[in-house]
Amino acid sequence: MDGMTAPRLPEPLDRLAQIQRGILTTGQLRRGGVNRDVLRSRLRSGHWQQLHRSVYATFTGEPSREATLWACVLRAGRGAVLSYYTAAELHGLIDWRSTRVHVTIPESRRIMPISGVVLHVEGRAEQAAHPTQLPPRTKVEETVLDLTQVAGSAEDACAWIARGLGRRLTTQAKLRSALDCRRRVRFRAEIAQMLSPDWAGIHSALEWRYVKWVEEPHGLPSGKHQVRVARDGRSEYRDVLYDEYALCVELDGRAAHPGDTRWDDVRRDNAAAAQGVMTLRYGSDDLGLRACEVADQVYRALSRTGPVRARPCSPGCPVGRNR
């Protein structure tokens, strides 16, 4: 618990305060046997502090992140859960702290605005809530789908799906089940495609772009995604593998490799070459700005082993020409 604590609370209330990182509400204090006079006394003495209306920190000093989140969700009241970017933060779906705290409340409730909190109203708030994790939050599948609904494009929406799958926080089956429970969904067709068996193994936004911008528009064969291979007694994964054509495509979203990790890629490419597998490597700019050029290179590499079907996506597209 943060800072200096006041004289000990009654045992049940003390246990609750520990669970809630030192945060208690007026209702919880009353039910635990602490009356208003005691509350006022501890606030006046500086042992406690008020964080929101009817929400108090039973310590001095700056609240921790968890205490802040508890205070927000307790202020939002019955049925409230942390959601969107804040739930993503707690689930490990993102690696940064959400600037404002996102809280979802049931459709049946209305509350006044809360400082520093983005309120969402959802008819399925109860079903979306994780049954055990604290502080209360939406399930990871619901969190992923919530974020697809505030995405600016279908590509960005699918990137959230890829992130959840790529970090192995959820599965296609669980996301499909959660999607089926929602009546109105932006980008439903694209999300459903991402969750179809044909797209199993696509675990990054770059892989999604590769399929949507390189393979599909140019009629290229479909590669297998995130294929596990053994090297030096350990497992590695190939982003896109055309095993019958002895071709591997690796996709790298980093602007530059930190430190010497680029040598890991070199060693992996060399190991693949030693097994007779050619490796082509592309970054986000290649897929975004030169998708047709990438498709032509992949087509030519696939054609080394025999005839391959492909087509230009537009009059100026080089795929399949000059052969």
Side-chain angles (χ1 to χ4, degrees):
M1 197 175 295
D2 305 291
M4 180 177 64
T5 59
R8 197 169 185 84
L9 292 164
E11 186 176 349
L13 203 53
D14 184 62
R15 286 200 301 270
L16 181 60
Q18 290 184 45
I19 291 170
Q20 296 178 173
R21 296 300 184 265
I23 307 300
L24 293 171
T25 68
T26 300
Q28 290 171 339
L29 288 165
R30 184 177 62 251
R31 290 189 294 273
V34 175
N35 60 38
R36 286 189 177 276
D37 290 338
V38 173
L39 172 59
R40 292 192 188 101
S41 172
R42 295 190 178 186
L43 289 172
R44 281 196 303 267
S45 68
H47 286 113
W48 291 5
Q49 56 186 311
Q50 183 170 4
L51 300 184
H52 295 288
R53 181 182 176 183
S54 301
V55 177
Y56 305 93
T58 61
F59 53 81
T60 61
E62 190 71 21
S64 67
R65 178 61 171 171
E66 277 195 281
T68 298
L69 298 182
W70 268 109
C72 291
V73 76
L74 288 172
R75 170 64 186 91
R78 175 178 48 83
V81 289
L82 300 166
S83 57
Y84 289 81
Y85 297 99
T86 307
E89 172 191 335
L90 294 173
H91 285 305
L93 188 63
I94 59 177
D95 299 321
W96 61 91
R97 179 179 293 186
S98 59
T99 307
R100 301 181 71 190
V101 178
H102 290 257
V103 175
T104 294
I105 61 173
E107 192 174 49
S108 58
R109 297 188 57 232
R110 292 294 184 272
I111 62 174
M112 296 293 291
I114 304 171
S115 176
V117 173
V118 179
L119 285 172
H120 306 269
V121 180
E122 173 59 57
R124 297 184 58 258
E126 183 178 353
Q127 295 92 325
H130 195 284
T132 59
Q133 289 184 332
L134 295 174
R137 68 198 71 169
T138 50
K139 301 170 187 173
V140 66
E141 295 77 30
E142 301 290 345
T143 303
V144 170
L145 292 179
D146 281 343
L147 292 171
T148 68
Q149 299 309 284
V150 295
S153 65
E155 178 193 345
D156 290 341
C158 288
W160 283 115
I161 301 291
R163 181 181 285 262
L165 296 171
R167 296 194 172 200
R168 290 173 169 76
L169 297 173
T170 184
T171 65
Q172 276 193 323
K174 290 179 179 179
L175 284 166
R176 278 198 304 269
S177 178
L179 180 65
D180 290 343
C181 292
R182 297 191 175 207
R183 288 180 296 174
R184 299 175 185 173
V185 179
R186 293 174 68 227
F187 314 121
R188 183 185 286 274
E190 291 84 356
I191 293 171
Q193 182 184 45
M194 186 84 174
L195 297 176
S196 67
D198 289 344
W199 285 58
I202 295 181
H203 287 172
S204 75
L206 278 186
E207 290 176 61
W208 184 86
R209 292 172 192 159
Y210 180 80
V211 174
K212 296 297 288 187
W213 298 350
V214 176
E215 281 189 348
E216 287 188 347
H218 300 99
L220 291 168
S222 297
K224 298 177 182 178
H225 293 262
Q226 293 299 312
V227 177
R228 186 169 63 180
V229 297
R231 181 169 74 89
D232 298 334
R234 59 191 179 92
S235 293
E236 294 181 337
Y237 290 86
R238 303 286 187 245
D239 288 339
V240 187
L241 180 63
Y242 302 91
D243 49 2
E244 57 188 295
Y245 299 95
L247 176 67
C248 174
V249 174
E250 295 291 346
L251 305 170
D252 190 350
R254 293 168 290 180
H257 289 279
D260 291 327
T261 58
R262 64 189 179 91
W263 291 110
D264 293 337
D265 295 336
V266 171
R267 294 185 188 99
R268 182 167 56 181
D269 294 350
N270 290 345
Q275 296 173 345
V277 179
M278 174 190 287
T279 299
L280 298 178
R281 189 173 293 276
Y282 301 107
S284 56
D285 284 349
D286 296 314
L287 300 186
L289 303 176
R290 296 177 287 275
C292 291
E293 182 181 332
V294 170
D296 187 50
Q297 290 177 354
V298 172
Y299 166 64
R300 290 170 182 274
L302 292 171
S303 299
R304 292 175 307 129
T305 59
V308 175
R309 289 186 178 183
R311 61 176 182 270
C313 68
S314 62
C317 179
V319 173
R321 304 183 190 277
N322 302 320
R323 281 193 59 80

